[in-house]
Amino acid sequence: MVRPLGLLLSVALLALVAVASIAIGAKALTLAQVWHGLFHDSGTYGDVVVDERLARTVLGLLAGAALGLSGAVLQALTRNPLADPGLLGINAGASAAVVTAISFFGVTSLSGYVWFAFLGAAAVGALVWFLGGSRGATPVRLALAGTAISAALYGYLQAVMIMDDAALGRMRFWTVGSLASASESTITQVLPFLAAGSLLALALARPLNAVTMGDDTARALGAHLNRTRALAMLAATVLCGAATAACGPIVFVGLMVPHAVRSFTGPDLRWILPYAAVLSPVLLLGADVIGRVVARPAELQVGIVTAVIGGPVFIFLVRRRRTAQL
């Protein structure tokens, strides 16, 4: 009874943060002006509230849920509670594809970045699966393949940005991670991928529970290891790829929330995944609101805020895990 009640409270918290994301921004508006902009005005208030804040709130909800789910799936897949989507090179693949689009194909619009970023993430996900042994893939092989590919791609990324000033200028904003460029078009483009990836991740909760117990135990329980790992890789790649394509690489959300959730849900992914899908947007939207308030009238990109929050939290988690093992 405690876990269902906690999930309901988490949903209520998400609703409050979403309202705050719409009501609070770099431009100070009263609640009456926000209400008027939402429901009665297509002028100045409507442009700010509907076209800017509402779109970035919706994108934050979708991207946060995707990052949380992908992080939880990858932590189960690699049996590493401190894993995140960057571990398998998905963020690096998306970033490398975007800088290629900017430097070699002259792409300048966010709608163009989305497709290149998603294709780059998908290509790296497939390559990691192949190098990790495909049917014989193990958590260690997948992590090593992802780390090696990430290092190579980030080297390529830096080389292209150094040689191309235009690519450096455009890429600097995208690589930080931001919800500021959210639009109805971007949401429409990534929504089918996010929906499909979310449904697949949630459907894998039971077989991933078996996989986390070890290969021998999973086989004894009747789990199909290769199929489960392949589908888990697909779900994580689709979710993280679509979120990264829309917002840029946002760090620590996919690591912190699933890890924190596990402390009160236990190891059961049937609860970890729903909690992660609800609480990850709370973190992402909360960080976005903080970024809009602390630097008024400008704003800090959400990727900077999550990095500032996530760095100390990650150090704490590593130290706690190390102490527990001693």
Side-chain angles (χ1 to χ4, degrees), residues 17-36:
V17 174
V19 170
S21 177
I22 296 173
I24 302 171
K27 181 178 177 63
L29 296 177
T30 66
L31 290 177
Q33 290 171 332
V34 171
W35 181 268
H36 197 70

Side-chain angles (χ1 to χ4, degrees), residues 113-229:
Y113 297 167
V114 167
W115 292 108
F116 276 91
F118 184 77
L119 289 174
V124 168
L127 183 58
V128 167
W129 177 250
F130 174 76
L131 293 178
S134 58
R135 291 185 177 275
T138 64
V140 173
R141 287 182 180 179
L142 291 174
L144 289 175
T147 302
I149 292 172
S150 292
L153 289 178
Y154 278 124
Y156 164 78
L157 187 74
Q158 295 300 319
V160 174
M161 291 172 66
I162 289 172
M163 292 187 295
D164 190 338
D165 291 338
L168 176 61
R170 297 191 189 100
M171 195 69 184
R172 186 185 295 119
F173 177 79
W174 189 85
T175 53
V176 169
S178 174
L179 299 176
S181 298
S183 66
E184 183 179 349
S185 172
T186 303
I187 294 169
T188 302
Q189 288 177 25
V190 300
L191 182 58
F193 299 105
L194 294 176
S198 298
L199 290 174
L200 179 57
L202 293 170
L204 288 171
R206 190 181 295 274
L208 278 174
N209 274 340
V211 169
T212 58
M213 297 179 185
D215 291 2
D216 293 337
T217 303
R219 291 191 185 96
L221 293 173
H224 299 277
L225 287 175
N226 291 330
R227 183 175 67 189
T228 300
R229 285 175 178 150

Side-chain angles (χ1 to χ4, degrees), residues 50 52 59 82 92 127 148 221 271 313 321:
V50 176
E52 296 180 15
L59 183 59
L82 296 179
L127 183 58
L221 293 173
W271 287 105
V313 172
R321 180 172 171 80

Side-chain angles (χ1 to χ4, degrees), residues 10-302:
S10 299
V11 172
L13 177 61
L14 177 59
L16 288 175
V17 174
V19 170
S21 177
I22 296 173
I24 302 171
K27 181 178 177 63
L29 296 177
T30 66
L31 290 177
Q33 290 171 332
V34 171
W35 181 268
H36 197 70
L38 275 173
F39 298 105
H40 303 292
D41 187 19
S42 59
T44 303
Y45 298 148
D47 291 342
V48 172
V49 176
V50 176
D51 295 343
E52 296 180 15
R53 294 186 188 175
L54 184 59
R56 74 191 292 168
T57 299
V58 172
L59 183 59
L61 288 169
L62 295 173
L67 292 172
L69 285 171
S70 64
V73 167
L74 288 175
Q75 287 173 14
L77 179 65
T78 60
R79 299 177 198 151
N80 180 358
L82 296 179
D84 77 334
L87 181 67
L88 297 186
I90 297 172
N91 285 346
S95 300
V98 169
V99 79
T100 299
I102 293 171
S103 184
F104 297 106
F105 297 102
V107 177
T108 58
S109 66
L110 182 64
S111 60
Y113 297 167
V114 167
W115 292 108
F116 276 91
F118 184 77
L119 289 174
V124 168
L127 183 58
V128 167
W129 177 250
F130 174 76
L131 293 178
S134 58
R135 291 185 177 275
T138 64
V140 173
R141 287 182 180 179
L142 291 174
L144 289 175
T147 302
I149 292 172
S150 292
L153 289 178
Y154 278 124
Y156 164 78
L157 187 74
Q158 295 300 319
V160 174
M161 291 172 66
I162 289 172
M163 292 187 295
D164 190 338
D165 291 338
L168 176 61
R170 297 191 189 100
M171 195 69 184
R172 186 185 295 119
F173 177 79
W174 189 85
T175 53
V176 169
S178 174
L179 299 176
S181 298
S183 66
E184 183 179 349
S185 172
T186 303
I187 294 169
T188 302
Q189 288 177 25
V190 300
L191 182 58
F193 299 105
L194 294 176
S198 298
L199 290 174
L200 179 57
L202 293 170
L204 288 171
R206 190 181 295 274
L208 278 174
N209 274 340
V211 169
T212 58
M213 297 179 185
D215 291 2
D216 293 337
T217 303
R219 291 191 185 96
L221 293 173
H224 299 277
L225 287 175
N226 291 330
R227 183 175 67 189
T228 300
R229 285 175 178 150
L231 292 176
M233 273 289 298
L234 177 62
T237 299
V238 169
L239 287 168
C240 184
T244 303
C247 309
I250 297 176
V251 297
F252 288 120
V253 174
L255 184 154
M256 285 191 293
V257 175
H259 187 85
V261 161
R262 192 177 289 104
S263 66
F264 57 85
T265 64
D268 191 347
L269 283 156
R270 292 174 297 178
W271 287 105
I272 292 174
L273 291 173
Y275 267 97
V278 173
L279 291 177
S280 294
V282 171
L283 174 61
L284 188 61
L285 289 176
D288 189 45
V289 171
I290 291 171
R292 283 184 264 171
V293 171
V294 298
R296 280 179 173 171
E299 67 177 71
L300 288 176
Q301 283 78 19
V302 66

